[in-house]
Amino acid sequence: MLIKENIIRLSVEVTLMLLSVRMWTACTSVTRTNQCDRSGGGMLKYTWGDAFQDTNCLGPNGQKYPTQMISSIVRSYKGTLRKGRAMEDPYDIRERLLDAWRSINSLQRLESQRTERAAAGASSVTNSRRTCRSPSGRLCRTTYNTTAPLYGVSLTSGEPVTIVQKFPDLLQQVIFETCTSTECDVLQGRCTQTYTPYLFLVVPLGPVTLTGQDYVMVESGCVCKPKYSGNVTN
């Protein structure tokens, strides 16, 4: 009888231990998955989250996204702001943004090539020496996409702010472009990330405009800094 009681007690203790392990694993898993990743698949430095994917993740200070407050803000703005065109599908807008970005960059490359050809032609007329064609302006490899970040670092205060995003009524999308290489393709030098300040409607209200916007830095390109540029002499 005593042996049977000990076996039952041991079985209960093992069961409780297994339940405790499972609960601890579940809690740590929830904590890990609820933390917002940096925007752009983890590539952006000053923004977190993406309204296209999930608004339930935690911000940089561990706070939940204020969904109810954001909904209230969007409802209040609907009654005060002027009406625009009929609302379009956010995914269609994202594709149009990317198409426009590709078109602009294609035109810039064509203009750069025309400038290079014109400079080479003028040099060949005025100078009999052999001229070298300058390298293309795209010396660093990059990748680009759009994102609708949930959190960002204010450029005016340096503190984290919540970016107003409500799918699909109010999405503040931006295009980002990040470096994918550290070394320049043609010149000896380092690829350096560039940034552009974007205006977002944020919470708490920002100081930049009457509607409470604030600036947040977003990756906007990649430039080559030649290794010996500082030592060049005429």
Side-chain angles (χ1 to χ4, degrees), residues 27-48:
C27 289
T28 55
S29 175
V30 168
T31 302
R32 193 180 302 116
T33 55
N34 277 351
Q35 191 70 32
C36 283
D37 294 327
R38 292 188 181 272
S39 303
M43 294 186 293
L44 305 193
K45 185 176 181 180
Y46 298 109
T47 59
W48 293 264

Side-chain angles (χ1 to χ4, degrees), residues 149 153-156 161-165 170-174 196-202 205-218:
V153 177
S154 166
L155 185 60
T156 58
V161 292
T162 300
I163 299 174
V164 175
Q165 305 281 13
L170 177 58
L171 279 182
Q172 302 184 85
Q173 298 189 54
V174 294
T196 295
Y198 274 87
L199 265 178
F200 290 101
L201 180 62
V202 300
L205 298 181
V208 180
T209 66
L210 293 176
T211 55
Q213 292 175 297
D214 202 352
Y215 285 109
V216 175
M217 299 295 279
V218 177

Side-chain angles (χ1 to χ4, degrees), residues 39-44 47 50 52-53 90-91 93-99 101-102 105 142-149 172-180 193 198 218-221:
S39 303
M43 294 186 293
L44 305 193
T47 59
D50 192 331
F52 277 102
Q53 299 175 2
Y91 292 98
I93 294 176
R94 181 171 67 176
E95 291 304 318
R96 287 166 57 184
L97 285 172
L98 292 173
D99 288 341
W101 188 94
R102 283 188 285 263
N105 279 269
T142 63
T143 185
Y144 63 92
N145 208 332
T146 66
T147 184
Q172 302 184 85
Q173 298 189 54
V174 294
I175 297 179
F176 65 87
E177 184 179 8
T178 56
C179 299
T180 57
Q193 183 68 57
Y198 274 87
V218 177
E219 284 76 351
S220 60

Side-chain angles (χ1 to χ4, degrees), residues 30-91:
V30 168
T31 302
R32 193 180 302 116
T33 55
N34 277 351
Q35 191 70 32
C36 283
D37 294 327
R38 292 188 181 272
S39 303
M43 294 186 293
L44 305 193
K45 185 176 181 180
Y46 298 109
T47 59
W48 293 264
D50 192 331
F52 277 102
Q53 299 175 2
D54 185 16
T55 58
N56 294 322
C57 58
L58 301 179
N61 291 335
Q63 74 276 21
K64 292 183 179 180
Y65 193 75
T67 304
Q68 293 183 350
M69 181 190 297
I70 297 299
S71 298
S72 176
I73 291 174
V74 172
R75 283 196 300 269
S76 66
Y77 273 95
K78 281 184 177 180
T80 58
L81 296 181
R82 61 179 183 174
K83 293 184 179 181
R85 294 175 296 178
M87 189 174 64
E88 300 181 28
D89 187 333
Y91 292 98

Side-chain angles (χ1 to χ4, degrees), residues 103-119 133-134 136-137:
S103 298
I104 291 172
N105 279 269
S106 297
L107 291 174
Q108 288 177 344
R109 283 193 293 269
L110 288 173
E111 185 62 29
S112 177
Q113 292 172 1
R114 293 193 191 101
T115 303
E116 291 173 7
R117 287 196 295 268
R133 183 178 180 181
S134 61
S136 171

